[in-house]
Amino acid sequence: MRGCCPGAPTFKGFLLIENLIEIKGARHAYQTASGPLPVLDGLDVAVPAGTFAAVVGPSGCGKSTLTKLVAGLMKPDEGEVWLHGERVTGPRKTVGMAFQNPVLLEWRSILDNVILPLEIVAPKMPTKDRTARAMELLEMVGLAGFENKRPSELSGGMRQRASLCRSIVHKPEVLILDEPFGALDAFTREDLWQTMRDLRAAEPFTAVLITHDLRESVFLGDQVIVLSGRPARTQYVMDVDLPADRTLDVLFTPPAAEMLHTLRDQIKIAQGRADEGGV
Amino acid sequence: MLRKIITPVLAILIFLGLWELLVWANGWPNYKMASPSDLPPAFWKYKELFLLMGWQTLWRTVVGLLLAVIVGTLIGMIIGFSKLARDALYPLLVGFNAIPKATLVPVISLIFIGQHDFNTILMAFMISFFPIAVSVGIGLSTLEPEYRDILRALGASRFTIFRKIALPKTLPEFFGALKVSATLAFIGTNLVEIVSPHGRGLGALFKSGETNGDYPLMFAVLIALAVLGIVLYYAVIFLERTFAGWADREGT
Ligand SMILES: Nc1ncnc2c1ncn2[C@@H]1O[C@H](COP(=O)(O)OP(=O)(O)OP(=O)(O)O)[C@@H](O)[C@H]1O
Ligand SMILES: [Mg+2]
């Protein structure tokens, strides 16, 4: 795909295709014992190449379901999912995922955990190169010296850092983060936001970040998408007009405060709809 | 390290001493209860038989156990991956497991008349595959979806996910079950050897001790069985340390 059109504008190595991720009018219902449970009802998401889309919405509204659509782990009942100008029909090797639970494999060292995706995506890559690539990332997130430890020997924040390394080790085009910082204390979380920002500057990827933290969505997002209560539809989209190399201080400036305020109001509206639904 | 050996040896010596004392204090004759000091002569007298029959018991138990591992793991995979198979097979498995296996001895010796080794192995297998099947099944079906999704999102095949994640993750449960199964397989072997005597294995030696009123021999067989059981158990522990040692978080 890359380099197909000489002369086309690029951004951080990506062709400037209008949107790298695009979900159009997705509807979905889970089949449960007590009948169908609608979770998505008119979901529209568009993420330009190289940008970060933060998704917020009431608990249980369908955010993780959205990530499964993007990852190709699930097909919506209705609507379309596009990645890189191609219709998504199943999993693809160019996706990376990280969750709230770091899900590291206890029988592998941190280094081997980070290497795992390469074993699937690039089975012929020499071990030396794999190790070098993993070490490069571990150093970037401040885990140099811990590569031979077991996951249980690391703190929660360190495990999450390792999990982030694993999610981008194979240089995915699309990074899907489902509340990766949700279980961390406030200070560790802010640390990891900065780590994420630095990773982003070093490696190009397009990301969808699910979060419950509005400050996180403003700090890391280029746009914030607010979903309504279940069944989720796109309720509000806000462009975050802040410098790319933002520091935590930016969160205390008037423009950020205003954004946070708007988002809070939107979340209230989203929750109001959830209440009517008897959730 | 040395303490690890000395402690259990001491415990065994104390146990033997108490046993000797008990028999001596009560003045029990040999036909009521043999004492430890009667055992070495019994072992010595039948040393060839002990070696031969101990070996017969051991290899048939191990073969039965291997079968149980293979079949149990397969059944565990089936019920672990498919909810339909789980719903269908669980009642059958539980029902089969509930049958006291002693009742099956005459049944299988009638079906496979004269095939002593086969019968014995079959019984060791039947009595011991259940814990393995259940533990592997539960291990696989309770795998958190995220573990699966990190590889599935990359388009990894089911087999790759099984090999890289599900299998290693269930190893601790598997070895827990294997310890139980090893003991069970041993019971199965001896059951056949005693109930349907065909002159093979320690069970048969026990039976002949009973027939001839050689009580020290019977007790010597019991001790030999205990020793074999311990050997088998520690062999499993050794395998567990080798393949699932990571699950042991002692000291971290
Ligand atoms: N596999 C499934 N089968 C049936 N129902 C499901 C399934 N997965 C999720 N659901 C239901 O669909 C709804 C949306 O789930 P989802 O995980 O997408 O929500 P979420 O927004 O990620 O929630 P949270 O903020 O708590 O993580 C929930 O009510 C959930 O119970
Ligand atoms: Mg979720």
Side-chain angles (χ1 to χ4, degrees):
Chain A
M1 281 300 293
R2 278 185 216 182
C4 67
C5 331
T10 57
F11 175 73
K12 288 184 176 175
F14 284 103
L15 274 173
L16 274 186
I17 296 171
E18 195 144 17
N19 291 312
L20 194 120
I21 306 171
E22 202 160 353
I23 302 179
K24 292 182 199 158
R27 278 167 216 282
H28 191 78
Y30 283 114
Q31 300 305 324
T32 65
S34 50
L37 176 78
V39 285
L40 301 180
D41 181 22
L43 185 71
D44 291 295
V45 173
V47 190
T51 69
F52 237 84
V55 179
V56 296
S59 180
C61 73
K63 300 184 294 297
S64 296
T65 308
L66 184 165
T67 65
K68 290 193 188 120
L69 295 187
V70 178
L73 293 173
M74 231 180 71
K75 269 191 216 138
D77 292 341
E78 277 175 53
E80 298 173 1
V81 184
W82 294 77
L83 268 193
H84 215 134
E86 282 172 37
R87 187 86 182 262
V88 173
T89 51
R92 31 170 75 212
K93 293 188 189 315
T94 54
V95 168
M97 288 184 105
F99 310 92
Q100 176 166 357
N101 179 351
V103 288
L104 297 175
L105 311 180
E106 187 56 34
W107 57 94
R108 286 170 172 246
S109 67
I110 292 299
L111 179 69
D112 287 341
N113 264 287
V114 173
I115 283 174
L116 181 71
L118 293 177
E119 293 173 12
I120 311 293
V121 172
K124 297 209 177 79
M125 189 171 175
T127 313
K128 188 166 61 70
D129 296 355
R130 285 182 190 167
T131 308
R133 167 70 181 146
M135 284 308 299
E136 174 192 14
L137 288 175
L138 285 171
E139 263 156 44
M140 234 187 278
V141 303
L143 281 182
F146 291 92
E147 63 273 12
N148 293 322
K149 296 251 187 277
R150 300 270 159 189
S152 59
E153 294 175 284
L154 267 57
S155 72
M158 292 159 94
R159 275 181 233 176
Q160 201 51 264
R161 284 170 200 275
S163 164
L164 283 179
C165 290
R166 181 181 58 192
S167 68
I168 57 174
V169 71
H170 54 301
K171 305 200 171 162
E173 281 179 339
V174 175
L175 179 62
I176 299 169
L177 302 168
D178 193 349
E179 297 185 42
F181 316 122
L184 304 174
D185 67 87
F187 296 123
T188 312
R189 193 182 306 176
E190 290 180 359
D191 259 5
L192 271 143
W193 293 352
Q194 288 163 307
T195 306
M196 199 69 237
R197 175 200 60 199
D198 298 342
L199 283 175
R200 227 191 117 180
E203 313 235 334
F205 47 66
T206 308
V208 176
L209 167 75
I210 310 291
T211 174
H212 274 131
D213 187 332
L214 295 182
R215 292 168 68 241
E216 178 172 310
S217 71
V218 170
F219 182 72
L220 287 175
D222 294 307
Q223 59 168 323
V224 181
I225 299 168
V226 182
L227 300 186
S228 68
R230 195 180 67 225
R233 62 180 168 76
T234 307
Q235 177 182 308
Y236 183 77
V237 179
M238 188 174 81
D239 285 319
V240 181
D241 227 345
L242 298 170
D245 55 344
R246 39 195 105 145
T247 60
L248 284 174
D249 293 335
V250 90
L251 290 173
F252 300 98
T253 60
E258 200 178 314
M259 284 183 222
L260 288 170
H261 201 93
T262 314
L263 287 174
R264 264 203 62 76
D265 286 344
Q266 286 296 331
I267 289 286
K268 270 190 212 150
I269 297 172
Q271 283 171 332
R273 182 173 155 179
D275 285 342
E276 284 164 25
V279 179
Chain B
M1 188 59 218
L2 203 60
R3 240 185 86 208
K4 266 197 170 156
I5 298 173
I6 290 178
T7 318
V9 168
L10 261 179
I12 292 172
L13 287 179
I14 291 173
F15 170 75
L16 291 177
L18 286 176
W19 177 3
E20 186 81 45
L21 192 72
L22 185 74
V23 176
W24 175 80
N26 286 300
W28 281 332
N30 254 350
Y31 57 81
K32 197 158 186 182
M33 181 135 168
S35 59
S37 55
D38 299 328
L39 300 182
F43 276 120
W44 187 249
K45 194 163 148 203
Y46 301 106
K47 57 183 182 301
E48 276 101 24
L49 278 181
F50 267 104
L51 280 180
L52 178 70
M53 300 196 152
W55 167 244
Q56 285 170 342
T57 297
L58 185 64
W59 80 257
R60 296 192 293 191
T61 305
V62 170
V63 173
L65 190 60
L66 281 179
L67 261 182
V69 167
I70 295 167
V71 177
T73 307
L74 280 177
I75 295 178
M77 282 169 70
I78 294 169
I79 60 180
F81 281 133
S82 151
K83 182 151 170 18
L84 182 73
R86 182 154 62 241
D87 293 344
L89 290 181
Y90 245 124
L92 265 176
L93 283 174
V94 172
F96 182 77
N97 189 49
I99 299 174
K101 294 299 172 297
T103 58
L104 289 182
V105 177
V107 179
I108 57 174
S109 30
L110 268 181
I111 302 180
F112 307 104
I113 289 178
Q115 307 193 347
H116 302 310
D117 287 339
F118 180 80
N119 287 345
T120 315
I121 290 168
L122 188 64
M123 179 59 71
F125 155 72
M126 286 197 302
I127 208 169
S128 64
F129 78 93
F130 185 75
I132 297 178
V134 170
S135 77
V136 172
I138 289 181
L140 293 181
S141 65
T142 55
L143 185 76
E144 293 94 327
E146 284 107 335
Y147 278 97
R148 209 188 47 213
D149 284 349
I150 45 174
L151 287 193
R152 207 158 67 100
L154 297 172
S157 68
R158 279 175 87 103
F159 177 72
T160 308
I161 296 174
F162 175 74
R163 186 167 54 88
K164 292 217 182 261
I165 297 194
L167 179 76
K169 201 162 166 50
T170 44
L171 275 185
E173 281 104 342
F174 168 82
F175 277 110
L178 190 58
K179 281 180 224 167
V180 177
S181 288
T183 320
L184 286 176
F186 201 52
I187 293 175
T189 315
N190 280 282
L191 191 65
V192 178
E193 289 170 355
I194 295 174
V195 177
S196 118
H198 43 60
R200 283 182 212 177
L202 288 175
L205 196 58
F206 180 84
K207 193 80 189 166
S208 82
E210 192 185 358
T211 321
N212 300 320
D214 189 341
Y215 296 95
L217 174 60
M218 288 167 69
F219 276 93
V221 171
L222 293 186
I223 298 294
L225 283 173
V227 170
L228 274 190
I230 291 172
V231 168
L232 211 56
Y233 185 84
Y234 278 95
V236 175
I237 298 264
F238 172 77
L239 290 176
E240 182 181 27
R241 292 252 164 89
T242 314
F243 293 107
W246 52 267
D248 185 8
R249 300 195 187 171
E250 200 182 344
T252 60

